[in-house]
Amino acid sequence: MVTSPVVIVGAGLGGIRVAENLRSGGYDGQIILLGAEEHPPYDRPPLSKTVLTGADDRVDLKPSEFFDESGIDLRTGSRVRAVDPGSRTVSVERGGAVEELGYGTLILATGLVARRFPGTDGVAGVHVIRTVEDALALRAAAASARRALVIGAGFIGCEVTASLHGLGVEVTLVEPTPTPLSGPLGEQIGQMVTRLHVEAGVDLRVGVGVDELLTEDGRAVGAVLSDGTRVGADVVVVGIGGYPDLDYLEGSGIALADRAVGGGIACDGVGRTSAADVYALGDCANWHDPEGNAHRVEHWTHTVDHAALVAAQLLGHPIAHQPVPYFWSDQYGLKFQMLGSPRPDDEVHVVDDDGRKFLAYYSREGLLTGVVGAGRVGKLMKARQYLLTPTPVATLLG
Ligand SMILES: Cc1cc2nc3c(=O)[nH]c(=O)nc-3n(C[C@H](O)[C@H](O)[C@H](O)COP(=O)(O)OP(=O)(O)OC[C@H]3O[C@@H](n4cnc5c(N)ncnc54)[C@H](O)[C@@H]3O)c2cc1C
């Protein structure tokens, strides 16, 4: 049950959603939302899409009056440095001063930080994309760049590539696995992503890594790849993922999940951590699914679902764990979508492919595990119902 005051660490998507759900669910006690960034809560998916291209800068998750109107005490520029479940306090650094803040219920939603390429600290022209400042800095750099090197063809690397390409920048995309996105989706679908980049004219280098970043006068000018080739670039984007920065939990006794299952804050199936009245959700949290498997997931919808589950649990009317994992990505004017929990080693059944748009079902031991599509929004969403209960993939293959 919820105990006042509720202190939420991390004023991103998960933080604002859990606060909002508590209020709409009837909780009228104190809610303090602590965010390390200076911004009110904002949305990250547009950063690599419309913000990077300059098509639309709107990212705020709530209008400014929302916080006063809903009685949510938003404290930006406030970084939690330590948590002490014994005394039920957090240490908050704000403007150089540190304050101890008591909590009744603590919710941790601190997201990720972008992984840097080794040895690039302080090197000009090297970018990551996690915050609004990152996106604006990359956009500014792209305005005067002719060539870009994107390291890593995961979802964000692919999106950044498509966005930079749309801005007229020549992009080399480097990926050590055999295709873009083969990590999450397997090689067969990875080939379909490959053809989009190649048809657009992107210089895609797969099966190679970046051995060394080349610099001149402290500025990145390209890289040497593991096959010995050199790539020139005016701007370098590192898209090699992120990790939960949980230094603030050191000494708290709050259990972390094993790295083999994705790391992050270890939680049960409703977000409870190992400490009483401390919950975690979103990208930083490692939850147990209904089958008891531990996962850490870095998807928007997953975070929103978590926030609803935690709030319901705290309000004393827990909801059954029904969410079907969902992820989308926008590249070259196409919406990529993924439903369920497909694995790269699942059997893939491509049921629709016009050379650009496609739809594929994934199965394991004959049962549907996921659906992946590009430009097939309606058909993909229709398949959602089949992921709610174990369904033989043959049902969909007709
Ligand atoms: C560029 C980009 C594009 C994306 N595109 C998609 C997409 O197309 N589809 C999709 O499904 N998902 C996408 N995502 C993922 C999605 O945005 C995340 O899953 C979601 O933001 C997770 O929400 P969160 O609240 O867990 O973390 P965040 O939104 O990262 O919020 C965490 C907040 O906590 C703050 N914080 C961290 N440590 C502390 C501390 N010690 N004290 C106080 N505050 C702290 C951080 O500054 C941050 O503001 C994208 C992510 C990025 C970066």
Side-chain angles (χ1 to χ4, degrees), residues 3-376:
T3 320
S4 286
V6 173
V7 171
I8 303 169
V9 187
L13 175 67
I16 186 63
R17 282 297 182 117
V18 73
E20 200 179 3
N21 285 328
L22 284 170
R23 277 288 181 260
S24 62
Y27 172 66
D28 59 6
Q30 196 181 5
I31 300 179
I32 302 169
L33 179 56
L34 301 169
E37 296 182 66
E38 295 296 340
H39 300 273
Y42 65 89
D43 215 11
R44 288 174 209 276
L47 300 182
S48 46
K49 308 173 181 74
T50 47
V51 175
L52 182 53
T53 60
D56 191 344
D57 278 355
R58 281 172 303 176
V59 288
D60 283 352
L61 284 164
K62 291 288 160 199
S64 52
E65 60 275 16
F66 167 83
F67 299 94
D68 275 349
E69 283 173 8
S70 53
I72 293 169
D73 180 358
L74 171 66
R75 302 186 189 176
T76 56
S78 300
R79 181 174 288 279
V80 168
R81 292 289 181 194
V83 173
D84 182 357
S87 61
R88 289 181 176 249
T89 54
V90 294
S91 307
V92 190
E93 187 183 328
R94 192 181 194 188
V98 176
E99 178 200 3
E100 299 298 311
L101 187 65
Y103 66 81
T105 303
L106 182 67
I107 304 172
L108 309 172
T110 47
L112 304 179
V113 292
R115 207 176 291 285
R116 309 263 158 182
F117 194 79
T120 57
D121 281 355
V123 178
V126 181
H127 296 257
V128 293
I129 188 161
R130 182 78 204 168
T131 65
V132 86
E133 286 83 7
D134 293 339
L136 295 177
L138 178 55
R139 184 167 94 191
S144 58
R146 188 169 67 81
R147 295 173 305 177
L149 167 64
V150 178
I151 305 175
F155 281 108
I156 290 183
C158 285
E159 279 189 351
V160 167
T161 297
S163 296
L164 291 177
H165 172 78
L167 290 171
V169 181
E170 290 169 25
V171 188
T172 301
L173 174 59
V174 175
E175 167 59 41
T177 69
T179 71
L181 302 178
S182 58
L185 300 182
E187 272 185 50
Q188 194 177 345
I189 298 301
Q191 291 297 351
M192 294 175 165
V193 182
T194 296
R195 70 189 181 196
L196 280 176
H197 288 283
V198 171
E199 274 166 22
V202 165
D203 177 13
L204 175 63
R205 312 278 184 99
V206 290
V208 285
V210 170
D211 266 3
E212 187 195 344
L213 206 69
L214 300 170
T215 57
E216 270 174 31
D217 302 326
R219 162 163 285 280
V221 292
V224 180
L225 306 187
S226 56
D227 61 2
T229 53
R230 284 173 174 249
V231 176
D234 313 308
V235 72
V236 173
V237 187
V238 180
I240 56 174
Y243 63 93
D245 180 0
L246 300 174
D247 286 358
Y248 69 96
L249 292 181
E250 233 178 82
S252 69
I254 294 174
L256 302 185
D258 199 279
R259 284 173 73 163
V261 292
I265 304 168
C267 296
D268 66 6
V270 289
R272 278 184 292 239
T273 70
S274 61
D277 300 314
V278 181
Y279 289 72
L281 62 93
D283 285 2
C284 70
N286 194 311
W287 280 35
H288 280 152
D289 66 18
E291 284 79 46
N293 301 312
H295 299 283
R296 194 176 61 74
V297 178
E298 302 172 1
H299 298 165
W300 194 96
T301 311
H302 186 80
T303 301
V304 169
D305 290 339
H306 269 186
L309 287 164
V310 168
Q313 179 70 24
L314 286 169
L315 293 168
H317 45 76
I319 41 182
H321 196 289
Q322 272 288 316
V324 173
Y326 172 74
F327 179 84
W328 82 96
S329 169
D330 298 326
Q331 298 170 34
Y332 305 107
L334 277 186
K335 188 161 290 295
F336 278 79
Q337 293 168 295
M338 185 181 86
L339 268 174
S341 307
R343 285 202 314 230
D345 55 346
D346 283 351
E347 202 175 332
V348 179
H349 314 264
V350 177
V351 290
D352 178 5
D353 178 15
D354 72 358
R356 185 170 151 80
K357 300 176 180 176
F358 64 83
L359 188 75
Y361 300 125
Y362 283 61
S363 68
R364 205 174 310 140
E365 292 167 9
L367 294 179
L368 182 72
T369 54
V371 190
V372 174
R376 293 285 183 245

